[in-house]
Amino acid sequence: MTATPLRALPVDQLRQRSSTKWRTYPEDVLPLFVAETDFPLADPITARLRTAVELGDTGYTPPDPGIKAAFAAYAGRRWGWSVDPKRVRSTCDVMMGVVEILRAALRPGDRVIVTPPVYPPFYDCVEEAGAVIERVPLLGGVESGWELDLAGIEAALRGGARAVLLCNPHNPTGTVHTQDSLARLAELAAEHGAIVVSDEIHGPLVQPGVDYTPFLTASPAAAEVGYAVTSASKAYNLAGLKCAVMVTAGDGPAAIVRGLPDEVEWRTGLFGAMAGVAAWDEASDGWLESLLAALDENRRLLADLLAEAIPAARYRMPEAGYLAWVDLRGLGWGDDPAGRVLKEARVAVNRGPTFGTEGAGHIRINLGCAPEVLREAVTRIAALTAA
């Protein structure tokens, strides 16, 4: 049975929120930029946090808040991934986990491969870890879809790069990398003595019918060279609560994560751990299915709206997530059209060039909203094409 799509909260209610999405711009701007969603929380999360507040349960995070076992159970249920809870550690958020792993596994000045267009903080976290960016852009585009440039990655590894920072599923394109591609990536890393750190925060948001492979399950080699870092925060809208997990399978990566300073784990937010346990509990699975149904409607709606109102725009529906990568180069609005969209249409979207030079002329649109909000946003942007 197809799940009933989750309904977004009314905009007037959303404007009472104090988060980045609703406090960055004036009220005449539709905020479709930062990756926050407009839906109510899953009931088990609300209930767990409400109980904590009523108890005044706002102290330090305990050594075992249940997040490791909760993730292991979730991974097994959703993806058939057998995770050893003893090889899971928590921290504040995914990018912090990435930084700490890179810092521990690499030497200062080592090169880390990224695959643009890609989530902008990837560039910052590599530098924070004392490493150097090596760019190997994705192959393909809107018509064919995107994929890892394995030949380019192999050349970079042969040239001395020591790590690959993978986005799986990929942000901003919404690409779900195939098992074959991931297995080959792992093989290349093993051949050249490199590691793969996989940001898998969008994993719960893969659409039904799309095969998703957590990197560590792609092959025996992937288990030996890989680190996965993920969180309930993206799918369940918990970014402000601060909890992510670092997961390993092979002995080498497990030793690296086990050796991280205790302070890395101390940074886990207590409310984040509570909410993560509730999100990953089976009781929240129905909510997730309804969210995916709503996102499926919106990704298809955007395709229809663009085809009708802005035919020069190019867009491929994401296989995962709620972030749409839209090519506006056909409109002749320059390398960074988000500025004009904000100023003249009063719609806030993410700037394409921040994802890499491959993002010139692109915008990223957040689909995690009510259909009527998405419709209004496209209507406003389309009006600029008639000006």
Side-chain angles (χ1 to χ4, degrees):
M1 179 181 294
T2 303
T4 301
L6 198 61
R7 293 181 61 84
L9 297 170
V11 171
D12 59 350
Q13 185 174 343
L14 291 166
R15 291 201 181 279
Q16 298 175 45
R17 290 182 173 179
S18 58
S19 62
T20 291
K21 185 174 185 180
W22 297 99
R23 286 293 180 268
T24 300
Y25 297 104
E27 288 198 1
D28 66 327
V29 172
L30 288 178
L32 298 180
F33 66 115
V34 70
E36 299 178 22
T37 57
D38 296 350
F39 303 98
L41 294 178
D43 288 342
I45 298 174
T46 300
R48 184 66 186 91
L49 295 176
R50 179 182 291 117
T51 297
V53 171
E54 290 173 349
L55 291 172
D57 190 5
T58 54
Y60 291 109
T61 306
D64 183 10
I67 196 72
K68 302 173 186 181
F71 177 75
Y74 182 86
R77 189 172 69 250
R78 301 293 298 186
W79 306 308
W81 176 13
S82 180
V83 172
D84 182 353
K86 294 179 181 178
R87 295 198 167 184
V88 179
R89 291 193 76 184
S90 65
T91 191
C92 180
D93 56 39
V94 166
M95 285 299 98
M96 183 172 290
V98 168
V99 168
E100 296 299 341
I101 289 169
L102 291 176
R103 184 179 284 142
L106 303 181
R107 296 167 299 184
D110 279 348
R111 301 202 306 280
V112 177
I113 297 166
V114 299
T115 56
V118 74
Y119 183 50
F122 272 30
Y123 303 99
D124 297 329
C125 76
V126 169
E127 292 181 2
E128 184 181 345
V132 177
I133 290 285
E134 177 141 351
R135 302 169 70 261
V136 181
L138 295 177
L139 297 175
V142 170
E143 288 78 15
S144 60
W146 293 267
E147 61 181 333
L148 296 171
D149 179 359
L150 293 170
I153 291 172
E154 181 176 19
L157 292 171
R158 192 184 311 116
R162 306 302 301 159
V164 179
L165 181 49
L166 177 69
C167 202
N168 177 45
H170 197 88
N171 173 11
T173 63
T175 303
V176 175
H177 301 300
T178 67
Q179 180 176 355
D180 286 347
S181 178
L182 296 176
R184 178 56 181 155
L185 174 63
E187 182 181 314
L188 292 172
E191 287 176 4
H192 295 282
I195 64 170
V196 177
V197 182
S198 184
D199 171 357
E200 303 194 342
I201 198 168
H202 295 272
L205 294 169
V206 174
Q207 282 292 330
V210 177
D211 291 331
Y212 170 60
T213 303
F215 179 74
L216 298 184
T217 72
S219 68
E224 294 303 318
V225 302
Y227 303 75
V229 192
T230 190
S231 173
S233 64
K234 199 67 65 186
Y236 299 88
N237 206 41
L238 306 173
L241 300 185
K242 297 302 179 183
C243 177
V245 292
M246 302 168 288
V247 187
T248 57
D251 291 343
I256 292 288
V257 172
R258 187 168 56 248
L260 294 176
D262 289 344
E263 185 61 32
V264 173
E265 196 159 0
W266 264 106
R267 295 168 185 162
T268 307
L270 178 58
F271 274 22
M274 292 176 183
V277 169
W280 287 334
D281 189 89
E282 192 169 0
S284 293
D285 284 358
W287 180 94
L288 180 60
E289 298 306 325
S290 292
L291 172 67
L292 289 170
L295 299 180
D296 184 35
E297 286 191 349
N298 277 359
R299 66 179 184 151
R300 295 176 189 278
L301 174 62
L302 181 61
D304 292 341
L305 293 172
L306 292 175
E308 178 182 350
I310 316 177
R314 299 165 69 229
Y315 157 70
R316 185 181 187 87
M317 288 192 299
E319 297 174 304
Y322 50 83
L323 304 169
W325 189 235
V326 182
D327 182 351
L328 298 183
R329 287 177 293 180
L331 297 176
W333 290 356
D335 288 346
D336 195 7
R340 182 177 181 186
V341 169
L342 175 61
K343 182 178 180 180
E344 299 182 33
R346 308 306 285 165
V347 178
V349 294
N350 285 103
R351 299 170 49 219
T354 64
F355 295 82
T357 56
E358 295 74 15
H362 292 68
I363 60 175
R364 194 189 75 174
I365 300 176
N366 183 339
L367 301 173
C369 60
E372 55 267 27
V373 170
L374 187 59
R375 192 180 300 276
E376 172 64 17
V378 174
T379 297
R380 292 187 187 189
I381 297 170
L384 302 184
T385 67

